[in-house]
Amino acid sequence: MSTSLRSGYHHGDLRASLLTTAMRMLEAGEPFSLRAVAREAGVSPTAPYRHFADRDALESALAAQGLRDLKADLPEGRQLPSVPADLGDFAVAYVEFALRRPALFRLMFENSCDEGSEERVRAAAEIHDLLRVGMDRVFPGSDVEALASAEWGLAHGLASLHLDGKLVAESGDDVADHVRAAFAAIMSVDG
């Protein structure tokens, strides 16, 4: 192998390096293309095509990583929900993720899910499964599928409203209080 090839290719895991670079560029608000990511990662302009057919494939991989990161944040430091108030805590974690990583959050949900990306489909399904398990623990014997969708919808709506400046809060604590209050209000409505 020539010296130039060895110095040009220095990544033990090219795919991971490209994703890390693309994630950094996305979250820094830098426009990115496969060429720009390759340049930032220090690899040839054609190297990304070994792992991603096009920019859409790269974005799907970023969205899948974001979904996995979100899934890890939901139960972090807490037990799975067992009472209705716990659902508000899950929603707070969801909204906090959106506010902490807005560019990634938008990428994850504003682009349609590429059904051809098994990785992205699986990551989205794992979050939905986590929500179903939580709903089944809080409301055993109920329609957990509908409840999981409703919880996700409410949390996502609150996250989007906060991101878009439609709901204004002075601090992260105010956001958390608002999200918990919204969930408490929904959970206290008699059906």
Side-chain angles (χ1 to χ4, degrees):
M1 179 183 272
S2 75
T3 305
S4 63
L5 285 176
R6 259 184 300 187
S7 64
Y9 185 77
H10 55 273
H11 298 283
D13 187 349
L14 177 61
R15 185 176 193 279
S17 178
L18 293 168
L19 284 172
T20 299
T21 300
M23 187 71 75
R24 186 199 54 73
M25 292 174 75
L26 172 71
E27 291 186 331
E30 298 173 23
F32 67 89
S33 63
L34 288 174
R35 286 178 85 69
V37 170
R39 188 172 38 256
E40 283 290 313
V43 297
S44 77
T46 59
Y49 293 97
R50 294 180 190 140
H51 299 283
F52 308 104
D54 54 25
R55 180 187 164 122
D56 289 342
L58 175 60
E59 286 183 354
S60 277
L62 289 171
Q65 182 58 54
L67 289 163
R68 287 189 297 271
D69 292 350
L70 173 60
K71 180 186 173 209
D73 279 8
L74 292 176
E76 187 175 292
R78 63 185 74 79
Q79 298 292 324
L80 283 174
S82 58
V83 297
D86 294 343
L87 298 173
D89 291 336
F90 258 45
V92 167
Y94 187 93
V95 173
E96 286 174 344
F97 178 91
L99 296 176
R100 189 174 64 255
R101 301 179 78 182
L104 177 61
F105 185 81
R106 286 189 169 104
L107 176 78
M108 290 161 52
F109 295 110
E110 288 180 2
N111 297 349
S112 57
C113 185
D114 176 8
E115 296 298 324
S117 171
E118 182 181 321
E119 177 186 27
R120 187 172 180 176
V121 170
R122 184 176 48 249
E126 287 174 4
I127 288 179
H128 199 71
D129 290 345
L130 179 65
L131 297 177
R132 274 197 299 267
V133 167
M135 286 300 175
D136 191 42
R137 288 172 52 101
V138 175
F139 303 109
S142 62
D143 184 350
V144 295
E145 184 69 33
L147 287 171
S149 292
E151 178 185 19
W152 196 340
L154 179 56
H156 188 82
L158 290 168
S160 295
L161 289 169
H162 278 285
L163 275 176
D164 294 342
K166 306 296 187 228
L167 293 176
V168 180
E170 296 293 318
S171 68
D173 288 341
D174 289 343
V175 171
D177 291 344
H178 180 260
V179 171
R180 282 188 186 95
F183 267 79
I186 293 296
M187 296 299 160
S188 67
V189 173
D190 290 331

